[in-house]
Amino acid sequence: MALNVIKLSRVSPANNSVEPLFLPLTFFDLLWLKLDPTERVTFYKLTESSRDSFFSSILPKLEHSLSLVLSHFLPLSGHLKWNPQDPKPHIIVFPKDNVSLTVAESEADFSRISDKVLCLETELRSLVPELQVSSDSASLLSLQITLFPNQGFSIGTTVHHVVMDGKTASKFHKSWAHICKHGTTPQDFDLPTVLDRTVINVPAGLEQKIFQLSSYISEEKDYARTLTLPPAKEIDNDVVRVTLELTEVDIEKLKERAKNESTRSDLHLSTFVVSYAYVLTCMVKSCGGDANRPVRFMYAADFRNRLDPPVPLTYFGNCVLPIDFNGYKATTFLGKDGYVNGVEILSDSVRGLGSRNIESIWEVYEDGTKNMKLDTQNVTVTGSNQFGIYGSDFGWGRPVKTDVMSLYKNNEFSMSARRDEIGGLEIGISLKKCEMNVFLSLFTSDFDIYN
């Protein structure tokens, strides 16, 4: 997609402190140090969006409200730093720090690229900005606003996962939208005002184990002492993406199928469990290849209420832990019992999460990383149907679509609540064309939920 960059600007937080802010990274932050940034693009349709009205009215409101919201999310304007004398990186925010904002314009068909139908991954890549990352310093947030004259606009965000998790990121987006629309700070949810890292109470020694694991991620000698990210998966014209929907009725059918096919009566049949098992089965089948290949899959669990003492709801930062499933083979999910196998595995995990300690969860993740074979198929879910991203109205209506753009690079699929239905889900998928064709066939017919 061809873009015309109108301007490159820097937006500073309003009422920034005169004192530098220093934030050490916690165990939950360090977990994501080497993960590719989280990228998202959200589309907004405008009834009146001439070029003149956008740049004279809409853009100034977006920029001003961004400055205001950054004062409530101050770490986003800082940098990740790793000085040679320091044992681990930290976040530092200086009084004049700011966030990169790119303003661009595109003549692309807004209605087509903001639709949920199949499209090339490369068509949307230009709508999200890049983070500036070097060996000892990295920006934490970059933004891009792209105008589609007389059609709408998009907001692209790229966030370093080390600064915040999905729950905090959704608060940022919704707070920005609320301030832009109403001119006031939102009162109906908890802004992340707690920066004190001592509220994170985890066993000593876990942080060091993260750095010891670095040698299993990269063969580079100095990899553990750099902020440079591993090379991203190449995205070419063979990669496509689509947003699929599961209605509340579809999800109930999946729950009924699990009840009918399982011999167990103790299953935890949440929307998350049955939907994840459904998508996982489709992805394993669509991949093809050796039926005995290893399959590793994960989800992130929120630990705010699982620590002792619990972490305040207003805490700013990461507080999620990857729940790792390794040791399975593709054949577990390929047969007629593949779906119910997935349900039972995920059900046991979710139900038993409260009784597991952080050390045991980390050990499984550590083991999966150390022993992962080259032919392993990885599947991870990102997002949540609890984040409410479609509630982000900047004053011109709710989004028409939102896409997580980092799916293919991180072997992920996304999960979010449907825009226009309570109880339903949207599933974002990014695969090679040949795999996507098989996946779509399975998704719409394998479980017969669309019939």
Side-chain angles (χ1 to χ4, degrees):
M1 179 191 302
L3 279 186
N4 177 26
V5 176
I6 305 300
K7 69 173 181 176
L8 301 173
S9 62
R10 315 290 303 190
V11 178
S12 300
N15 305 317
N16 199 351
S17 170
V18 296
E19 297 294 330
L21 173 65
F22 178 90
L23 292 177
L25 299 188
T26 72
F27 166 73
F28 290 109
D29 299 325
L30 291 168
L31 278 168
W32 313 103
L33 184 63
K34 297 297 184 178
L35 189 72
D36 280 327
T38 301
E39 302 166 329
R40 180 183 289 274
V41 59
T42 305
F43 296 91
Y44 292 86
K45 186 175 182 179
L46 295 173
T47 53
E48 297 181 5
S49 58
S50 69
R51 195 176 188 278
D52 289 343
S53 66
F54 181 81
F55 286 106
S56 64
S57 177
I58 295 175
L59 181 60
K61 288 182 180 179
L62 290 169
E63 292 176 321
H64 178 63
S65 56
L66 174 60
S67 176
L68 293 174
V69 77
L70 284 173
S71 65
H72 299 287
F73 293 78
L74 198 57
L76 296 181
S77 61
H79 286 79
L80 181 66
K81 299 287 288 185
W82 199 346
N83 299 323
Q85 71 275 14
D86 295 334
K88 66 178 182 178
H90 61 270
I91 293 171
I92 184 75
V93 185
F94 291 106
K96 293 184 180 181
D97 277 352
N98 47 51
V99 168
S100 170
L101 173 64
T102 300
V103 179
E105 188 175 4
S106 173
E107 296 299 328
D109 184 351
F110 178 84
S111 61
R112 184 179 65 81
I113 65 169
S114 64
D115 202 346
K116 297 172 183 176
V117 298
L118 200 67
C119 70
L120 290 173
E121 181 81 15
T122 52
E123 283 191 278
L124 303 183
R125 291 304 310 168
S126 61
L127 298 178
V128 290
E130 293 185 357
L131 288 179
Q132 296 298 312
V133 179
S134 66
S135 61
D136 61 355
S137 178
S139 56
L140 298 172
L141 171 67
S142 290
L143 296 161
Q144 179 174 321
I145 298 172
T146 304
L147 170 67
F148 300 82
N150 303 311
Q151 302 176 82
F153 69 95
S154 66
I155 297 178
T157 60
T158 302
V159 181
H160 202 305
H161 204 326
V162 80
V163 71
M164 62 182 179
D165 55 26
K167 178 174 285 189
T168 308
S170 67
K171 285 184 179 182
F172 168 75
H173 201 89
K174 289 189 287 186
S175 298
W176 181 14
H178 186 281
I179 292 173
C180 186
K181 181 177 182 178
H182 301 285
T184 59
T185 303
Q187 303 296 320
D188 55 344
F189 59 88
D190 302 302
L191 286 172
T193 56
V194 175
L195 302 175
D196 181 8
R197 271 26 194 174
T198 63
V199 302
I200 300 296
N201 180 29
V202 299
L206 283 181
E207 288 187 4
Q208 187 58 38
K209 289 186 177 182
I210 293 176
F211 296 112
Q212 293 170 357
L213 199 61
S214 297
S215 61
Y216 292 90
I217 302 174
S218 174
E219 295 180 356
E220 295 181 21
K221 181 179 179 181
D222 297 326
Y223 181 80
R225 286 290 311 182
T226 179
L227 297 178
T228 305
L229 298 172
K233 287 173 64 176
E234 185 176 345
I235 299 174
D236 53 30
N237 287 332
D238 193 36
V239 180
V240 292
R241 66 164 46 237
V242 70
T243 301
L244 301 167
E245 296 183 324
L246 290 172
T247 67
E248 188 174 16
V249 173
D250 295 332
I251 292 168
E252 288 304 315
K253 288 182 178 180
L254 286 173
K255 292 179 181 180
E256 285 301 314
R257 177 171 180 179
K259 291 178 184 178
N260 293 334
E261 294 188 0
S262 178
T263 59
R264 295 170 47 180
S265 59
D266 63 339
L267 294 178
H268 178 77
L269 297 180
S270 65
T271 295
F272 171 79
V273 166
V274 299
S275 302
Y276 192 168
Y278 175 33
V279 176
L280 171 65
T281 307
C282 290
M283 294 193 80
V284 173
K285 290 181 178 179
S286 66
C287 185
D290 184 2
N292 289 314
R293 70 182 181 277
V295 173
R296 185 188 188 194
F297 54 105
M298 286 184 276
Y299 68 87
D302 192 333
F303 267 72
R304 285 169 174 80
N305 291 325
R306 295 185 170 99
L307 297 185
D308 184 19
V311 177
L313 293 176
T314 53
Y315 175 73
F316 187 109
N318 288 283
C319 200
V320 294
L321 191 61
I323 309 302
D324 192 336
F325 305 85
N326 58 76
Y328 293 97
K329 294 183 178 180
T331 186
T332 305
F333 310 101
L334 291 175
K336 291 183 179 180
D337 58 351
Y339 167 65
V340 75
N341 286 342
V343 168
E344 291 177 353
I345 293 168
L346 289 163
S347 170
D348 289 343
S349 172
V350 173
R351 185 182 293 278
L353 201 54
S355 61
R356 298 176 62 189
N357 58 40
I358 289 181
E359 297 99 312
S360 66
I361 293 173
W362 166 259
E363 286 172 2
V364 174
Y365 176 78
E366 184 180 47
D367 179 71
T369 302
K370 287 182 176 179
N371 298 310
M372 188 172 66
K373 298 179 180 179
L374 289 176
D375 61 341
T376 299
Q377 181 180 1
N378 292 281
V379 180
T380 301
V381 62
T382 185
S384 169
N385 58 338
Q386 305 297 318
F387 289 164
I389 191 66
Y390 279 111
S392 303
D393 181 355
F394 283 81
W396 303 280
R398 295 188 300 135
V400 294
K401 190 182 74 162
T402 181
D403 280 316
V404 178
M405 293 302 299
S406 42
L407 298 181
Y408 184 75
K409 293 190 291 185
N410 291 333
N411 301 302
E412 298 172 336
F413 71 92
S414 65
M415 181 184 295
S416 62
R418 284 188 72 193
R419 182 184 189 275
D420 298 316
E421 182 201 28
I422 297 175
L425 289 179
E426 288 187 3
I427 305 294
I429 303 290
S430 181
L431 296 169
K432 290 185 176 294
K433 288 179 182 177
C434 57
E435 295 175 3
M436 183 67 82
N437 291 336
V438 178
F439 181 92
L440 291 176
S441 175
L442 294 168
F443 190 92
T444 57
S445 64
D446 195 44
F447 298 144
D448 199 30
I449 65 169
Y450 273 28
N451 299 328

